[in-house]
Amino acid sequence: MGWVVLGLIAALAVYLVMTYNGLVAMRQRVGQAFADIDVQLKQRHDLIPNLVETVKGYATHEKSTLDAVIAARNAAQGAGSVHDKAAAEQQLSGAVGRLLALGEAYPDLKASANFQQLQVDLGHVEDKLAAARRFFNNAVSEFNAAIQAFPAVLFAPQMGFTQREFFDVGETVRGQIEVAPTVKF
């Protein structure tokens, strides 16, 4: 009888260790995914001054737009938490969108090879950033599900495993995404 109890305690201990190690691995995956987002954001932030300088040469009287882009970039670089980064990056995306729209108002700017190349580079970075966000959100989803599943839910909070936030686009962008596009011929 004593061996059976000892065997059950050993099995329970092995199970707890395996569950703990699995949660640690998932937490690391979430951290790695967030670091991947940071790498893409760094590339994006590095492209923006070049884009601003290119536009500045053609649209010198658009100072407020240029200043807004630089201010949004600085705010995005200084954001710390996932929620703050997502909000700052949303503001930066809007400012960069307004900056790129200036290309339509200035035909010489739109024809500039440098401006065109920066737009292409920014598009590639945005695609990589979207993929990194999807990977991060998937890792967060798996991690959050694992710490909420039984029996991990009984001991995960006491061992320091807490839910993580998703990298969310925000209510404004979500509202724009959910609206069907209109097509006019």
Side-chain angles (χ1 to χ4, degrees):
M1 179 74 158
W3 290 106
V4 173
V5 172
L6 188 60
L8 288 174
I9 291 173
L12 180 62
V14 167
Y15 178 76
L16 289 175
V17 168
M18 290 176 55
T19 301
Y20 178 81
N21 289 341
L23 292 174
V24 168
M26 287 182 192
R27 182 172 56 193
Q28 288 301 107
R29 199 170 312 125
V30 168
Q32 175 194 5
F34 192 68
D36 290 346
I37 289 175
D38 273 345
V39 168
Q40 298 307 320
L41 291 176
K42 171 87 169 93
Q43 287 180 348
R44 181 185 193 200
H45 296 161
D46 289 348
L47 281 173
I48 289 173
N50 296 334
L51 188 61
V52 167
E53 286 302 316
T54 300
V55 171
K56 195 183 290 186
Y58 291 92
T60 55
H61 63 281
E62 299 286 352
K63 184 164 176 33
S64 64
T65 302
L66 300 173
D67 290 344
V69 170
I70 294 300
R73 176 185 177 261
N74 292 340
Q77 284 182 313
S81 71
V82 174
H83 180 269
D84 292 345
K85 269 191 190 298
E89 289 300 326
Q90 183 180 352
Q91 293 294 324
L92 180 58
S93 292
V96 169
R98 288 188 296 279
L99 182 69
L100 293 174
L102 290 177
E104 298 299 321
Y106 298 92
D108 291 342
L109 173 61
K110 188 175 181 179
S112 166
N114 192 29
F115 183 71
Q116 290 175 355
Q117 185 59 46
L118 286 169
Q119 282 183 305
V120 168
D121 292 346
L122 192 58
H124 290 302
V125 169
E126 291 293 337
D127 290 343
K128 291 177 187 176
L129 186 54
R133 286 178 182 143
R134 282 191 302 273
F135 182 75
F136 173 78
N137 285 339
N138 184 54
V140 167
S141 177
E142 289 176 2
F143 178 75
N144 288 347
I147 65 172
Q148 292 174 359
F150 185 81
V153 71
L154 300 175
F155 62 86
Q158 291 80 12
M159 295 180 142
F161 296 102
T162 58
Q163 285 199 40
R164 296 293 190 91
E165 289 184 65
F166 290 98
F167 204 106
D168 193 8
V169 295
E171 293 298 321
T172 306
V173 174
R174 188 176 301 107
Q176 294 168 354
I177 292 170
E178 292 174 353
V179 174
T182 57
V183 179
K184 294 180 183 179
F185 294 101

